[in-house]
Amino acid sequence: MTGSAPSDYTAFATHYDSWFAPSDRVTEDTVGALAGLAESAGAGPVLELGIGTGRVALPLAARGMEVHGVDLSPAMVEQLRAKPGGRDIPVALGDFRTAEVTGGPYALVYVVNGAFAELPTQDAQVDCFSRAARLLRPGGLFVLDAHVPEALAQGAPAGGHLLPTRGGETVLRFREVDRAEQRYRSHYVVLASGAAGGAEMHRTTVSFRYAAASELDLMARLAGLRPRERWADWTGAPFTSASAFHVSVYERPA
C-alpha cells in the first residue's frame, strides 16, 4: 500500500490476494507490460510503490529483474515475505514521500492497481511524482494506472457491484463519488467461510483521490517528467475517448 495513512485493506492483509487482488490475467498483462517498459528504459533496478503482498513484484523478480519496494503496511509486507522469493526483495517501510530508498537510480518506478489514488491529497500526489523523478535515472520511466474520472462517476452503480474472488468468497463493492472534492470511497462487504462451516461478514472502506489524465500530466511536468505513452489497459490497447481506465507512462529526459 502507498499513501500517508494505512489503507483499510491492511486489516485483511492475510486475505488480500483472495478478496481484493485482480485476476491472474490482469496480473500477467501488468507484469508483461512493466517488463517490456523496463527493458526499453535500459539497465537498472525497478521500484514498486505500494508493493503490498508482491502480486506484481514477485513475477517480475522471477524474470530476473532486480525489484525493490516501498510500502506503508508491515502486515502486507509480511505476506510478501511468506511467499517464495519474497525475502529477497528489499522493501523500505513507510510513507513513500519519507521512506528511505537507497537502491537507485532506477530504470522504472511504478504504482499499480489504482494505488496512486490512495494518496489522499493533490499535494501528496505531486510529491509522489517528484520523488519518483528524483529516483529515476535519465531515460527512466514512471508508470501508473488510474480510472478515467468521467467514467468513474458515471459507472458507480446504485446497488453495488459483485466482484470475482479467488477463493469463492462473495465480495460486494459499493462506491460513493464526490465530484466536488475529486474523491471516491469504495465500501466492501465480504462474505467468507467462518469457523465450523458458518459464514462470516467483513466490511472495509478504502478512500481515493482521483485526478484527470491532464492533471496527472501537469504533475509530471512539474516534476520534470514528460508523457511518453498512454494505454487503455495493461495490454497496450489504444486509449480513446471511450476508455474508462488508463495506464500512463512518463519519462525522465536523458
PDB file of all heavy atoms in Angstrom, residues 202-220:
ATOM      1  N   HIS A 202     -17.423  -9.448   6.684  1.00  0.00           N
ATOM      2  CA  HIS A 202     -16.384  -8.456   6.968  1.00  0.00           C
ATOM      3  C   HIS A 202     -16.679  -7.209   6.146  1.00  0.00           C
ATOM      4  O   HIS A 202     -17.175  -7.289   5.018  1.00  0.00           O
ATOM      5  CB  HIS A 202     -15.001  -9.003   6.596  1.00  0.00           C
ATOM      6  CG  HIS A 202     -14.702 -10.334   7.187  1.00  0.00           C
ATOM      7  ND1 HIS A 202     -14.067 -10.500   8.394  1.00  0.00           N
ATOM      8  CD2 HIS A 202     -14.957 -11.598   6.734  1.00  0.00           C
ATOM      9  CE1 HIS A 202     -13.934 -11.783   8.656  1.00  0.00           C
ATOM     10  NE2 HIS A 202     -14.464 -12.475   7.664  1.00  0.00           N
ATOM     11  N   ARG A 203     -16.336  -6.051   6.698  1.00  0.00           N
ATOM     12  CA  ARG A 203     -16.554  -4.793   5.985  1.00  0.00           C
ATOM     13  C   ARG A 203     -15.295  -3.939   6.060  1.00  0.00           C
ATOM     14  O   ARG A 203     -14.616  -3.917   7.091  1.00  0.00           O
ATOM     15  CB  ARG A 203     -17.735  -4.012   6.592  1.00  0.00           C
ATOM     16  CG  ARG A 203     -19.065  -4.730   6.497  1.00  0.00           C
ATOM     17  CD  ARG A 203     -20.188  -3.919   7.125  1.00  0.00           C
ATOM     18  NE  ARG A 203     -20.344  -2.628   6.466  1.00  0.00           N
ATOM     19  CZ  ARG A 203     -21.207  -1.684   6.876  1.00  0.00           C
ATOM     20  NH1 ARG A 203     -21.950  -1.882   7.949  1.00  0.00           N
ATOM     21  NH2 ARG A 203     -21.296  -0.549   6.219  1.00  0.00           N
ATOM     22  N   THR A 204     -15.008  -3.238   4.987  1.00  0.00           N
ATOM     23  CA  THR A 204     -13.902  -2.279   4.990  1.00  0.00           C
ATOM     24  C   THR A 204     -14.187  -1.191   3.974  1.00  0.00           C
ATOM     25  O   THR A 204     -14.953  -1.387   3.020  1.00  0.00           O
ATOM     26  CB  THR A 204     -12.558  -2.965   4.686  1.00  0.00           C
ATOM     27  OG1 THR A 204     -11.499  -2.049   4.909  1.00  0.00           O
ATOM     28  CG2 THR A 204     -12.495  -3.456   3.246  1.00  0.00           C
ATOM     29  N   THR A 205     -13.588  -0.042   4.169  1.00  0.00           N
ATOM     30  CA  THR A 205     -13.757   1.105   3.281  1.00  0.00           C
ATOM     31  C   THR A 205     -12.390   1.644   2.909  1.00  0.00           C
ATOM     32  O   THR A 205     -11.513   1.787   3.770  1.00  0.00           O
ATOM     33  CB  THR A 205     -14.588   2.213   3.955  1.00  0.00           C
ATOM     34  OG1 THR A 205     -15.901   1.717   4.232  1.00  0.00           O
ATOM     35  CG2 THR A 205     -14.692   3.439   3.050  1.00  0.00           C
ATOM     36  N   VAL A 206     -12.194   1.935   1.634  1.00  0.00           N
ATOM     37  CA  VAL A 206     -10.933   2.495   1.149  1.00  0.00           C
ATOM     38  C   VAL A 206     -11.252   3.804   0.425  1.00  0.00           C
ATOM     39  O   VAL A 206     -12.153   3.846  -0.421  1.00  0.00           O
ATOM     40  CB  VAL A 206     -10.207   1.522   0.200  1.00  0.00           C
ATOM     41  CG1 VAL A 206      -8.848   2.082  -0.198  1.00  0.00           C
ATOM     42  CG2 VAL A 206     -10.044   0.154   0.869  1.00  0.00           C
ATOM     43  N   SER A 207     -10.517   4.852   0.765  1.00  0.00           N
ATOM     44  CA  SER A 207     -10.752   6.179   0.189  1.00  0.00           C
ATOM     45  C   SER A 207      -9.707   6.504  -0.870  1.00  0.00           C
ATOM     46  O   SER A 207      -8.538   6.115  -0.747  1.00  0.00           O
ATOM     47  CB  SER A 207     -10.713   7.247   1.294  1.00  0.00           C
ATOM     48  OG  SER A 207     -11.743   7.019   2.238  1.00  0.00           O
ATOM     49  N   PHE A 208     -10.139   7.249  -1.882  1.00  0.00           N
ATOM     50  CA  PHE A 208      -9.275   7.587  -3.010  1.00  0.00           C
ATOM     51  C   PHE A 208      -9.458   9.052  -3.389  1.00  0.00           C
ATOM     52  O   PHE A 208     -10.535   9.627  -3.221  1.00  0.00           O
ATOM     53  CB  PHE A 208      -9.618   6.732  -4.242  1.00  0.00           C
ATOM     54  CG  PHE A 208      -9.542   5.251  -4.013  1.00  0.00           C
ATOM     55  CD1 PHE A 208     -10.634   4.552  -3.533  1.00  0.00           C
ATOM     56  CD2 PHE A 208      -8.372   4.548  -4.275  1.00  0.00           C
ATOM     57  CE1 PHE A 208     -10.581   3.179  -3.329  1.00  0.00           C
ATOM     58  CE2 PHE A 208      -8.301   3.179  -4.071  1.00  0.00           C
ATOM     59  CZ  PHE A 208      -9.410   2.500  -3.593  1.00  0.00           C
ATOM     60  N   ARG A 209      -8.413   9.638  -3.953  1.00  0.00           N
ATOM     61  CA  ARG A 209      -8.474  10.974  -4.540  1.00  0.00           C
ATOM     62  C   ARG A 209      -8.115  10.824  -6.017  1.00  0.00           C
ATOM     63  O   ARG A 209      -6.985  10.490  -6.359  1.00  0.00           O
ATOM     64  CB  ARG A 209      -7.493  11.915  -3.834  1.00  0.00           C
ATOM     65  CG  ARG A 209      -7.700  13.398  -4.174  1.00  0.00           C
ATOM     66  CD  ARG A 209      -6.780  13.889  -5.253  1.00  0.00           C
ATOM     67  NE  ARG A 209      -7.064  15.276  -5.619  1.00  0.00           N
ATOM     68  CZ  ARG A 209      -6.535  15.902  -6.657  1.00  0.00           C
ATOM     69  NH1 ARG A 209      -5.680  15.282  -7.460  1.00  0.00           N
ATOM     70  NH2 ARG A 209      -6.862  17.144  -6.925  1.00  0.00           N
ATOM     71  N   TYR A 210      -9.089  11.010  -6.908  1.00  0.00           N
ATOM     72  CA  TYR A 210      -8.830  10.785  -8.328  1.00  0.00           C
ATOM     73  C   TYR A 210      -8.402  12.077  -9.026  1.00  0.00           C
ATOM     74  O   TYR A 210      -8.651  13.188  -8.547  1.00  0.00           O
ATOM     75  CB  TYR A 210     -10.044  10.159  -9.022  1.00  0.00           C
ATOM     76  CG  TYR A 210     -11.300  10.994  -9.052  1.00  0.00           C
ATOM     77  CD1 TYR A 210     -11.461  12.021  -9.983  1.00  0.00           C
ATOM     78  CD2 TYR A 210     -12.364  10.730  -8.187  1.00  0.00           C
ATOM     79  CE1 TYR A 210     -12.625  12.771 -10.034  1.00  0.00           C
ATOM     80  CE2 TYR A 210     -13.532  11.469  -8.236  1.00  0.00           C
ATOM     81  CZ  TYR A 210     -13.658  12.485  -9.158  1.00  0.00           C
ATOM     82  OH  TYR A 210     -14.810  13.229  -9.208  1.00  0.00           O
ATOM     83  N   ALA A 211      -7.744  11.918 -10.177  1.00  0.00           N
ATOM     84  CA  ALA A 211      -7.262  13.049 -10.968  1.00  0.00           C
ATOM     85  C   ALA A 211      -7.421  12.722 -12.443  1.00  0.00           C
ATOM     86  O   ALA A 211      -7.216  11.575 -12.857  1.00  0.00           O
ATOM     87  CB  ALA A 211      -5.798  13.345 -10.653  1.00  0.00           C
ATOM     88  N   ALA A 212      -7.781  13.710 -13.221  1.00  0.00           N
ATOM     89  CA  ALA A 212      -7.883  13.529 -14.669  1.00  0.00           C
ATOM     90  C   ALA A 212      -6.492  13.314 -15.257  1.00  0.00           C
ATOM     91  O   ALA A 212      -5.474  13.709 -14.669  1.00  0.00           O
ATOM     92  CB  ALA A 212      -8.542  14.741 -15.306  1.00  0.00           C
ATOM     93  N   ALA A 213      -6.454  12.707 -16.430  1.00  0.00           N
ATOM     94  CA  ALA A 213      -5.169  12.461 -17.088  1.00  0.00           C
ATOM     95  C   ALA A 213      -4.412  13.763 -17.321  1.00  0.00           C
ATOM     96  O   ALA A 213      -3.179  13.813 -17.188  1.00  0.00           O
ATOM     97  CB  ALA A 213      -5.397  11.730 -18.404  1.00  0.00           C
ATOM     98  N   SER A 214      -5.123  14.822 -17.647  1.00  0.00           N
ATOM     99  CA  SER A 214      -4.461  16.109 -17.877  1.00  0.00           C
ATOM    100  C   SER A 214      -3.826  16.645 -16.601  1.00  0.00           C
ATOM    101  O   SER A 214      -2.752  17.262 -16.633  1.00  0.00           O
ATOM    102  CB  SER A 214      -5.454  17.125 -18.445  1.00  0.00           C
ATOM    103  OG  SER A 214      -6.558  17.283 -17.563  1.00  0.00           O
ATOM    104  N   GLU A 215      -4.474  16.408 -15.447  1.00  0.00           N
ATOM    105  CA  GLU A 215      -3.905  16.837 -14.171  1.00  0.00           C
ATOM    106  C   GLU A 215      -2.650  16.023 -13.851  1.00  0.00           C
ATOM    107  O   GLU A 215      -1.647  16.567 -13.369  1.00  0.00           O
ATOM    108  CB  GLU A 215      -4.936  16.685 -13.052  1.00  0.00           C
ATOM    109  CG  GLU A 215      -4.442  17.199 -11.697  1.00  0.00           C
ATOM    110  CD  GLU A 215      -5.476  17.038 -10.597  1.00  0.00           C
ATOM    111  OE1 GLU A 215      -6.624  16.636 -10.889  1.00  0.00           O
ATOM    112  OE2 GLU A 215      -5.123  17.302  -9.438  1.00  0.00           O
ATOM    113  N   LEU A 216      -2.688  14.735 -14.136  1.00  0.00           N
ATOM    114  CA  LEU A 216      -1.504  13.893 -13.935  1.00  0.00           C
ATOM    115  C   LEU A 216      -0.355  14.352 -14.830  1.00  0.00           C
ATOM    116  O   LEU A 216       0.802  14.377 -14.399  1.00  0.00           O
ATOM    117  CB  LEU A 216      -1.846  12.437 -14.214  1.00  0.00           C
ATOM    118  CG  LEU A 216      -2.890  11.801 -13.294  1.00  0.00           C
ATOM    119  CD1 LEU A 216      -3.244  10.403 -13.790  1.00  0.00           C
ATOM    120  CD2 LEU A 216      -2.407  11.746 -11.854  1.00  0.00           C
ATOM    121  N   ASP A 217      -0.668  14.722 -16.065  1.00  0.00           N
ATOM    122  CA  ASP A 217       0.367  15.206 -16.980  1.00  0.00           C
ATOM    123  C   ASP A 217       1.018  16.480 -16.434  1.00  0.00           C
ATOM    124  O   ASP A 217       2.234  16.681 -16.584  1.00  0.00           O
ATOM    125  CB  ASP A 217      -0.226  15.472 -18.360  1.00  0.00           C
ATOM    126  CG  ASP A 217      -0.604  14.192 -19.097  1.00  0.00           C
ATOM    127  OD1 ASP A 217      -0.248  13.104 -18.626  1.00  0.00           O
ATOM    128  OD2 ASP A 217      -1.266  14.305 -20.147  1.00  0.00           O
ATOM    129  N   LEU A 218       0.208  17.338 -15.823  1.00  0.00           N
ATOM    130  CA  LEU A 218       0.764  18.558 -15.239  1.00  0.00           C
ATOM    131  C   LEU A 218       1.645  18.237 -14.039  1.00  0.00           C
ATOM    132  O   LEU A 218       2.712  18.841 -13.857  1.00  0.00           O
ATOM    133  CB  LEU A 218      -0.368  19.501 -14.826  1.00  0.00           C
ATOM    134  CG  LEU A 218       0.061  20.842 -14.219  1.00  0.00           C
ATOM    135  CD1 LEU A 218       0.973  21.627 -15.167  1.00  0.00           C
ATOM    136  CD2 LEU A 218      -1.170  21.677 -13.851  1.00  0.00           C
ATOM    137  N   MET A 219       1.228  17.279 -13.213  1.00  0.00           N
ATOM    138  CA  MET A 219       2.082  16.844 -12.098  1.00  0.00           C
ATOM    139  C   MET A 219       3.424  16.345 -12.620  1.00  0.00           C
ATOM    140  O   MET A 219       4.479  16.627 -12.036  1.00  0.00           O
ATOM    141  CB  MET A 219       1.386  15.735 -11.303  1.00  0.00           C
ATOM    142  CG  MET A 219       0.137  16.160 -10.566  1.00  0.00           C
ATOM    143  SD  MET A 219      -0.568  14.740  -9.645  1.00  0.00           S
ATOM    144  CE  MET A 219      -2.154  15.424  -9.158  1.00  0.00           C
ATOM    145  N   ALA A 220       3.363  15.585 -13.712  1.00  0.00           N
ATOM    146  CA  ALA A 220       4.601  15.069 -14.303  1.00  0.00           C
ATOM    147  C   ALA A 220       5.487  16.216 -14.763  1.00  0.00           C
ATOM    148  O   ALA A 220       6.708  16.216 -14.544  1.00  0.00           O
ATOM    149  CB  ALA A 220       4.269  14.151 -15.472  1.00  0.00           C
TER     150      ALA A 220
END
